[in-house]
Amino acid sequence: MSTMPSSHSHSFDADRHARWEEQERAAEAAGAARDIADVPAVEVIASACIHLMSAAAVKLGLGEEESAEDLTDLDEARKLINSLAGLVTAAAPEISDSHARPIRDGLRSLQLRFREISVIPDAPGKGPGEKFTGPVI
């Protein structure tokens, strides 16, 4: 009787494990697709807008932590606000005024905050998102 432990492994075990992992990933992807299929488009659009608004607020120094102002990045905020303005302007006819209005209000607040903290002010109509919303004063 041998007392030496068996140290060899079977390659089919690794192959089987890889197949199981791939099947599990495929099942998760299918589940996610089913989940997103159940979500109305207006909720997907509103969720995207909220993510853009939240990210822009952080880049404008409006985060909740004490050092929130240290995270201010106007270049990044401009990109996020432009994207939000384009999305809400394009989506407004599709999502109804009752959904678009609070998003537009949040967008306007972000645009005003940007104008307030910008060292070099943009000309009226040239601020972030203003090509979509018109001048914010």
Side-chain angles (χ1 to χ4, degrees):
M1 190 183 254
S2 174
T3 58
M4 298 202 46
S6 175
S7 62
H8 70 282
S9 63
H10 299 283
S11 65
F12 69 86
D13 288 337
D15 292 343
R16 186 175 359 169
H17 184 67
R19 279 195 312 273
W20 287 340
E21 286 182 346
E22 181 60 33
Q23 289 171 348
E24 189 172 294
R25 280 193 294 272
E28 287 174 5
R34 279 191 300 274
D35 291 345
I36 200 73
D38 294 335
V39 179
V42 67
E43 289 183 30
V44 174
I45 294 165
S47 178
C49 289
I50 290 167
H51 285 292
L52 289 167
M53 271 195 266
S54 297
V58 169
K59 298 297 184 179
L60 291 171
L62 298 173
E64 294 181 7
E65 56 278 340
E66 288 183 28
S67 60
E69 288 191 17
D70 296 341
L71 302 174
T72 301
D73 185 334
L74 293 180
D75 184 51
E76 290 289 303
R78 181 182 296 275
K79 292 171 188 171
L80 292 161
I81 294 169
N82 277 330
S83 297
L84 174 61
L87 177 56
V88 72
T89 300
E94 305 297 328
I95 64 174
S96 81
D97 189 56
S98 64
H99 288 95
R101 187 178 309 124
I103 296 169
R104 278 196 220 109
D105 291 345
L107 170 61
R108 186 176 186 322
S109 295
L110 293 170
Q111 290 171 308
L112 289 170
R113 170 68 178 176
F114 187 98
R115 189 169 289 285
E116 175 185 304
I117 66 173
S118 183
V119 177
I120 303 170
D122 293 311
K126 300 296 183 187
E130 292 182 356
K131 66 182 171 184
F132 300 107
T133 64
V136 175
I137 303 171

